[in-house]
Structures are given as C-alpha cells and as structure tokens.
C-alpha cells in the first residue's frame, strides 16, 4: 500500500485537522511529518471543539495508530498539556500513538531564543508563534540538537546542559532580553519523564513495515505551502518543508510510496503573522471575512489577516506538491457576499504575472480580480453537493478548471458532519 498526503496550500489554518479527522476511518495510520506546536489543528464533533498541536488528528478514532514522525519538533511541555486535555475523553494515547526516536526536542532555551530573535528584529519580525520552532530546526541542521532517543541514554542531562550553555552564550548578545530559565525547566523535565513512558521508536521502520503489510497511511501536514522554508514567502516562513517532499524526509518513506496528494485550501485566503499577502483586504470586507470565518489563530489567538482567494499562489502550490485532489474549506463563510472576487493574476509595474515574483515583499503587487456571483444563502445545513446553489457549483467548477485538479470535498462548517463530497 501507499501513503496519501494531506497538506495546506496557503498560509496554514486551511482546516487540515478537520479533514484529517473526517478521512481517518479510511486509514490505519495518521502520521505528522513536520512542524511542531506552532500548528493548531481544530477538530469539531459532538458539539466539542478540540485543538491539537503536536498529536496527529487521527487520535480520536479507535484502531488507528498516530505517528509523530522524525521531521516533527516536540516541546515536552506542550505535549504533556495536550495529553492531559485528552484524558477526560478516555483516549488511550499510549496505545494509539508512537513517537519517532529521531524527532528533535524543543528546549526551554529554544523558546527564549525565538523570543529574543523576534524582539531584536523589531518591525521586521517574522511573527513567529514563539514556540521555539526556528531555533530547534537550526540546531537540527547545525547538528547540535537533542532528539527523543537521547532521553533514554545516560548522557541526556550532560547533552542538555551543553546545549543550554551554548544557548545562554547566544542570549548574552541580547542584553535587552530578560528571562528566568529556572522557572521553565521543571515543566520541561516533567514532560521528558512523561515522554519516557510513551512508545518511542524508529517510526520509519514501523511505517515501512506496515506499508509492506498493505496498511494505509495518511501523512498530515502542518502549516501550509506558502510557509515552506524553500518555496514559501521567505523569510516570512516557518523552518520546515511543509510540502509533499517533506513527507519523505519527515517520515522516512520513499517518493515512490506516495499516492494521492490532497491539497486543502480555503474558499478565500488568510495569513497570521508578518509577510506579504497580495490579496489581503485591509477594509470592511476583510474584517467581515475575519469575523464570519472566526479567523483567530488556534495556537496564539491572534486575528488572522484575510483576503480573497489567490489563484497564482494556489497554482504554484498545486505544482510544487503534485496535488491530485483538492478540498475547499469554509465555503459557508462567503455566504455573506453578493459578489466574490478571485485573484487571477498579479500586476507588477504595469506587467501581468501568473506566478509569485522572487521578492514578493519588495514588489508592488496589484491583484487582478475576476468577479463571480456569490450564493448568498446559508450553506451550513447542506447535506449534498447536488443540493448546492448553482453559484457555489459554478465557483467550484471554475476553480477546478483553473487549477486543473478536481475538488473532491467542499466544507460548509467546522463540524465533522458539515463535509460534502463533490462527485465527478
Ligand atoms: P488547520 O491548522 O489547517 O487544522 O486549521 P485551523 O484549525 O487552525 O483553522 C481552521 C478553523 O476553521 C478552525 O476553527 C475550524 O474549526 C474551522 N473550520 C474548518 N472548516 C470549516 C468550514 O468549512 N467552515 C467554517 N465556518 N469553519 C471551518
Ligand atoms: P497550522 O498547522 C498558520 C506562521 C506564524 C509565522 C510563521 C513562522 O495550524 O496551519 P513559526 O512559529 O513557525 O516560527 O512561525 O509561520 N505559522 C502558522 N500560520 N498556521 C500554522 O500552522 C502556522 N505555523 C506557523 O504565524 O508567521
Ligand atoms: Mg491551524
């Protein structure tokens, strides 16, 4: 059997958690391959909203294994908090989850470095979630990092102290940044104790073994393609490969093992944190999308910047990921508009472009819009795409034609049940 991948095509928060949860019954394993607690994946069912940061979104289903892959970075403090939140629901997380020995650990000093770096950048800050993501991946590629497997060795504390020493040396260059490490360490070591009791192993061997047995794996992306370290709006990106290729390095599965790539996008566009956003609406319409879409960060609570859908960016994301099918989210949010705008091209210095320029930040980009009729009616109770208003069907068909990939799922509300299959 092969691996299917589900990932975001915009700047994150597309609704990945919801769709992974909906698709989980079709799989044996759900595996996160990159990112860490910067992610906030929301699942809603039975009137309850759950937000997951590191734990894969298949955790609420019985008989499904959830893998935290080697490409993920784990903060033991946040991980412990997530597990505590699952306890009232009787989730057997010990049976349902395995963690890669090769996943890197976020230390309290990584979080401090993240905050110090952002403070020093001032108005040029990335708008990081301040979870220590950048510094942890820097230590990974710098070959200084601590991995989950290290916590089972006798030299763990020694290695920890060495790395902290290095971090404190860097923090000396930020005299304006104040911190008290001693208040952060107890929770970290408590989290490490919990991790020691969980099922930690070489998950790449486990996954390849399951694939050989014919089991089905869904890889769950975090963030989105436009936040990818290589192909996103650099430097306003995260520090991992959020794209399909990240599945191979972040789980240890070969490219030949990948089958479907499900790209997920909102019927409009949002971004949280700093950086370019060509279709951003700084007016009442943007505020309306934010309010109706409840666009507030699942991890940080920050208001998300909102705007119309951006086809040049989406086409690029479809290409980079080799997307084979699409899920369109939050169609219900656009119900408030008589007319919906779609950015079809960018105008830069009087010339038209179909793709994002190298320096998206410096370029004066004017989005070129096509106006399409809105559906202007409540979609949240819709049970089938056949009963959908003509304008919604036309919007979906238009996007399919432009993106050259079928939209197989249309989401009309946050709940598991508000998910429509679009048959072709
Ligand atoms: P993720 O990071 O990609 O998993 O997405 P988030 O959970 O950060 O953000 C998506 C938000 O939209 C969450 O609050 C979801 O509950 C909500 N959501 C998902 N799909 C829909 C939808 O179709 N309609 C509406 N109104 N909300 C949705
Ligand atoms: P999910 O998985 C939206 C953004 C941050 C910031 C930039 C870098 O829920 O879609 P980082 O903390 O990674 O150093 O921040 O990336 N960012 C996200 N935006 N959704 C996410 O995850 C994000 N994870 C990081 O806001 O602009
Ligand atoms: Mg999110």
């Amino acid at each position: 059997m092969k691996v299917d991948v589900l990932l975001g095509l915009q700047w994150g928060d597309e609704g990945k958690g919801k769709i992974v949860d909906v698709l989980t019954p079709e799989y044996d394993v759900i595996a996160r391959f990159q990112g860490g607690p910067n992610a906030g994946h929301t699942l809603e069912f039975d009137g309850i909203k759950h937000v997951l940061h590191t734990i894969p979104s298949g955790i609420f289903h019985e008989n499904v294994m959830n893998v935290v892959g080697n490409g993920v970075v784990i903060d033991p403090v946040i991980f412990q908090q997530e597990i505590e939140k699952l306890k009232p629901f009787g989730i057997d997380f010990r049976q349902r989850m395995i963690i890669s020995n090769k996943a890197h650990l976020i230390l309290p000093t990584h979080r401090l470095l993240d905050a110090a770096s952002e403070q020093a950048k001032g108005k040029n800050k990335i708008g990081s979630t301040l979870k220590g993501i950048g510094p942890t991946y820097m230590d990974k590629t710098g070959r200084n990092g601590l991995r989950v497997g290290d916590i089972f060795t006798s030299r763990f504390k020694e290695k920890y102290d060495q790395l902290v020493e290095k971090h404190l040396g860097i923090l000396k260059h930020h005299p304006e940044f104040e911190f008290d490490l001693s208040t952060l360490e107890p929770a970290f070591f408590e989290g490490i104790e919990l991790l020691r009791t969980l099922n930690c192993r070489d998950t790449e061997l486990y996954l390849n073994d399951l694939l050989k047995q014919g089991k089905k794996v869904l890889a769950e992306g975090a963030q989105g393609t436009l936040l990818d370290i290589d192909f996103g709006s650099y430097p306003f990106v995260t520090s991992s490969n959020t794209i399909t290729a990240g599945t191979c390095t972040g789980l240890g599965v070969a490219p030949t093992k990948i089958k479907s790539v499900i790209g997920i996008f909102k019927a409009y566009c949002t971004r949280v944190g700093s950086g370019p956003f060509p279709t951003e609406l700084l007016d009442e319409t943007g505020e309306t999308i934010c309010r109706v879409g409840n666009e507030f960060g699942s991890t940080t609570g920050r208001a998300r910047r909102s705007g119309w859908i951006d086809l040049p960016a989406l086409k690029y994301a479809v290409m980079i990921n080799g997307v084979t099918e699409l899920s369109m989210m939050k169609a219900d949010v656009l119900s408030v508009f008589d007319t919906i705008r779609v950015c079809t091209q960018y105008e830069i210095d009087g010339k038209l472009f179909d793709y994002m320029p190298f320096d998206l930040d410096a370029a004066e980009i004017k989005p070129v819009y096509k106006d399409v009729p809105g559906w202007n009616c409540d979609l949240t109770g819709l049970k089938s795409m056949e009963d959908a208003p003509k304008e919604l069907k036309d919007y979906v068909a238009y996007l399919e034609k432009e993106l050259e990939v079928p939209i197989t799922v249309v989401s009309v509300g946050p709940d598991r049940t508000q998910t429509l299959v679009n048959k072709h």
Side-chain angles (χ1 to χ4, degrees), residues 13 40-41 298:
D13 302 330
H41 293 183
S298 314

Side-chain angles (χ1 to χ4, degrees), residues 202-221:
D202 293 332
T203 49
E204 67 279 24
L205 299 179
Y206 171 81
L207 285 170
N208 281 288
D209 214 33
L210 285 188
L211 288 171
K212 244 188 206 166
Q213 293 170 33
K215 304 278 189 207
K216 286 187 76 181
V217 177
L218 178 66
E220 173 181 4

Side-chain angles (χ1 to χ4, degrees), residues 8 11-16 32 34-42 52-53 114 118 126-135 137 220-224 227 235-240 270-275 297-300 302 304-305:
W11 278 288
D13 302 330
E14 296 89 351
K16 299 175 289 292
R32 269 280 302 270
Q34 46 70 232
N38 48 349
H41 293 183
T42 313
L52 298 168
H53 302 288
D114 208 359
E118 285 284 83
I126 307 293
S128 153
T129 59
L130 303 179
K131 302 295 176 198
I133 304 296
Y137 279 116
E220 173 181 4
Q223 290 80 56
L227 288 170
F236 300 99
V237 294
T238 191
S239 300
S240 64
T270 64
R271 167 163 212 173
V272 60
S274 327
S298 314
T299 295
T300 58
R302 293 178 290 179
R304 296 177 184 143
R305 301 154 64 193

Side-chain angles (χ1 to χ4, degrees), residues 87-156:
K87 281 184 180 166
F89 299 97
I91 307 294
D92 193 353
F93 56 88
R94 286 179 202 283
Q95 289 298 322
R96 283 189 206 172
M97 184 164 60
I98 63 172
I99 300 155
S100 171
N101 270 328
K102 298 188 173 82
H104 279 245
L105 292 171
I106 301 176
L107 272 49
T109 41
H110 283 130
R111 273 188 279 144
L112 294 174
L113 286 168
D114 208 359
S117 159
E118 285 284 83
Q119 188 175 309
K121 282 191 167 124
K123 71 174 178 36
N124 295 322
K125 68 176 183 186
I126 307 293
S128 153
T129 59
L130 303 179
K131 302 295 176 198
I133 304 296
T136 306
Y137 279 116
M138 279 163 72
D139 272 335
K140 175 179 179 175
T141 52
R143 296 157 296 179
N144 294 307
L146 280 183
R147 300 185 291 173
V148 168
D150 289 318
I151 68 176
F152 300 102
T153 66
S154 55
R155 289 191 53 216
F156 175 64

Side-chain angles (χ1 to χ4, degrees), residues 157-297:
K157 185 63 171 53
E158 186 191 327
K159 284 186 180 172
Y160 171 86
D161 289 339
Q162 268 173 14
L163 190 51
V164 168
E165 196 61 30
K166 174 178 161 269
H167 292 163
L168 293 177
I170 302 171
L171 285 165
K172 282 205 183 107
H173 297 288
H174 296 273
E176 73 295 344
F177 181 76
E178 289 174 14
F179 62 90
D180 181 0
L181 181 58
S182 68
T183 59
L184 305 173
E185 283 184 323
F188 175 79
F189 286 108
E190 212 184 288
I192 293 290
E193 276 312 312
L194 173 70
L195 263 181
R196 284 199 178 108
T197 68
L198 299 180
N199 193 350
C200 302
R201 54 197 282 193
D202 293 332
T203 49
E204 67 279 24
L205 299 179
Y206 171 81
L207 285 170
N208 281 288
D209 214 33
L210 285 188
L211 288 171
K212 244 188 206 166
Q213 293 170 33
K215 304 278 189 207
K216 286 187 76 181
V217 177
L218 178 66
E220 173 181 4
Q223 290 80 56
T225 303
L226 305 178
L227 288 170
D228 179 80
I229 182 72
D230 281 280
F231 299 106
S233 47
Y234 193 89
F236 300 99
V237 294
T238 191
S239 300
S240 64
N241 280 118
T242 61
I243 57 174
T244 306
T247 309
C248 300
T249 54
L251 292 178
V253 295
T256 48
K257 293 276 180 341
I258 291 173
K259 192 174 160 226
S260 302
V261 179
I262 306 162
I264 165 163
F265 67 99
K266 283 178 187 167
Y268 49 95
C269 200
T270 64
R271 167 163 212 173
V272 60
S274 327
F277 180 2
T279 62
E280 181 173 15
L281 294 166
L282 297 164
D283 57 9
E284 216 174 281
T285 308
E287 276 170 32
T288 304
I289 295 178
C290 182
R291 188 185 70 252
V292 179
N294 194 21
E295 294 295 355
F296 296 91

